[in-house]
Amino acid sequence: MFWFTLFQLLGLIALVTALIFYCRFKKLKFFPFIYQHIKHILIALAAIIVLITLICWKPLYHTTECFFRGKSMRAETKYSWYLGECQIKTRTGSYLPLNRSRGMPEGNENNGHNDLLY
């Protein structure tokens, strides 16, 4: 979720930066321009939010799925957007892939990990 929030914040910063450059290019005052075109700016902001949400749809879905898998197992899990996998926290504090963990229905039984679950 950190990445999604960061992308949304970067989208907002890009919109404000574009408005500032537009006002400087046209030699307009920034706040009166915002007040005058608030409806169009809010539509542009909503479009940016929807676009970023559509781009991040798959990782958001997998993050939610991983969260509920962890709740059902009563274990701490997280979804790694970088690796693209759900990870479970071991007793030592490290995170290992949930689907390749021993004792999981989808996992590999012969991968050599002995301390994956609590």
Side-chain angles (χ1 to χ4, degrees):
M1 290 302 287
F2 167 76
W3 291 108
F4 179 67
T5 307
L6 180 67
F7 295 151
Q8 294 288 357
L9 183 64
L10 290 175
L12 177 64
I13 290 171
L15 178 65
V16 171
T17 304
L19 289 172
I20 289 172
F21 283 135
Y22 180 79
C23 288
R24 283 194 178 185
F25 179 72
K26 293 288 187 173
K27 295 181 177 48
L28 301 170
K29 295 191 182 217
F30 182 70
F31 289 110
F33 177 77
I34 296 291
Y35 181 73
Q36 194 174 25
H37 298 285
I38 191 73
K39 182 178 177 181
H40 297 103
I41 294 170
L42 290 177
I43 290 172
L45 181 62
I48 289 171
I49 290 172
V50 168
L51 180 67
I52 292 171
T53 303
L54 289 175
I55 291 171
C56 296
W57 183 259
K58 189 174 181 180
L60 286 173
Y61 173 77
H62 290 303
T63 301
T64 306
E65 180 185 29
C66 184
F67 171 77
F68 283 113
R69 282 184 75 183
K71 286 295 181 188
S72 68
M73 294 170 46
R74 293 191 178 123
E76 187 175 337
T77 58
K78 72 173 185 174
Y79 182 76
S80 172
W81 283 38
Y82 180 71
L83 298 174
E85 61 189 10
C86 185
Q87 299 174 338
I88 188 167
K89 187 174 184 178
T90 63
R91 282 182 265 166
T92 60
S94 61
Y95 284 91
L96 296 174
L98 181 62
N99 289 339
R100 290 182 276 173
S101 300
R102 282 183 66 172
M104 296 294 118
E106 306 91 18
N108 183 2
E109 293 295 326
N110 299 320
N111 61 1
H113 299 294
N114 295 326
D115 60 339
L116 293 178
L117 299 176
Y118 293 93

